[in-house]
């Protein structure tokens, strides 16, 4: 374990996702590397790299993906909706985003911190470990879900 604590706000927002007040939450390791903090949620406006508000994407999953940085790790929880022959379903998914392009030290820090946050989030159905955009794609995640929950 990295010794990085999980900020209490992370659990508050996670409970908002569980109760469908928030569609997703993205977490990051703080700049001082002491804690996991909330990076953004679906209820906050979308922002560009400079922090200026921009129009959110129409599709919520696309919006979620657009907020994951291309070259830095993140953790996230997404309330994923999908359909089966039995009707509409939804599952809470935990994402560990560790892009191939991230710095090695950063990847190691996220890898060693993952268990610390993950085991404290009760009620997650599936873990999505992704190193590239293909593994994050809606189709890839949906296939993963369907293979585990028929």
């Amino acid at each position: 374990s990295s010794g990085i604590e999980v900020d209490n706000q992370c659990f508050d927002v996670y409970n908002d996702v569980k109760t469908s007040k928030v569609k997703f939450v993205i977490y990051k390791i703080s700049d001082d590397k002491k804690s996991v903090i909330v990076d953004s949620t679906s209820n906050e406006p979308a922002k560009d790299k400079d922090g200026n508000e921009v129009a959110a994407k129409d599709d919520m999953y696309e919006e979620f993906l657009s907020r994951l940085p291309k070259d830095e790790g993140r953790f996230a929880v997404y309330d994923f909706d999908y359909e089966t022959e039995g009707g509409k379903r939804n599952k809470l998914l935990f994402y560990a985003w560790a892009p191939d392009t991230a710095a090695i030290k950063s990847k190691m820090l996220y890898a060693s911190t993952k268990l610390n946050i993950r085991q404290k989030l009760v009620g997650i159905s599936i873990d999505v470990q992704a190193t590239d955009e293909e593994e994050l794609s809606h189709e890839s995640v949906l296939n993963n879900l369907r293979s585990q929950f028929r």
Side-chain angles (χ1 to χ4, degrees):
S1 168
S2 62
I4 293 176
E5 296 298 314
V6 181
D7 186 84
N8 282 334
Q9 188 197 7
C10 295
F11 305 117
D12 296 341
V13 179
Y14 174 66
N15 285 327
D16 288 344
V17 177
K18 278 174 80 168
T19 56
S20 300
K21 292 184 193 138
V22 173
K23 187 71 177 165
F24 66 79
V25 57
I26 298 172
Y27 304 111
K28 70 177 185 176
I29 294 174
S30 61
D31 292 340
D32 66 8
K33 314 231 180 319
K34 291 198 163 116
S35 57
V36 176
I37 58 173
V38 173
D39 187 24
S40 74
T41 74
S42 55
N43 290 13
E44 294 168 25
K47 294 190 168 126
D48 65 17
K49 300 266 182 272
D50 300 318
N52 302 310
E53 285 190 24
V54 294
K57 299 190 176 352
D58 292 336
D59 179 271
M60 190 57 81
Y61 196 73
E62 289 299 316
E63 179 60 33
F64 166 66
L65 295 182
S66 76
R67 296 196 194 187
L68 294 172
K70 302 272 178 260
D71 54 4
E72 285 178 48
R74 289 293 185 270
F75 302 117
V77 176
Y78 191 95
D79 183 6
F80 196 94
D81 300 312
Y82 65 106
E83 294 203 19
T84 66
E85 287 145 18
K88 290 189 187 253
R89 303 269 184 268
N90 75 306
K91 299 281 181 199
L92 291 177
L93 309 187
F94 176 82
Y95 290 75
W97 170 235
D100 289 329
T101 53
I104 302 251
K105 260 184 141 164
S106 170
K107 285 198 246 189
M108 289 172 64
L109 198 57
Y110 273 88
S112 62
T113 306
K114 177 184 167 188
L115 191 61
N116 197 14
I117 182 169
R118 175 60 185 90
Q119 64 192 13
K120 292 176 177 154
L121 301 177
V122 179
I124 299 282
S125 297
I126 281 192
D127 287 27
V128 178
Q129 175 73 44
T131 59
D132 63 38
E133 291 179 16
E134 174 55 35
E135 292 169 324
L136 285 174
S137 74
H138 191 275
E139 186 179 11
S140 174
V141 173
L142 186 59
N143 289 339
N144 188 355
L145 262 172
R146 287 190 169 142
S147 71
Q148 295 190 45
F149 297 97
R150 302 218 176 266

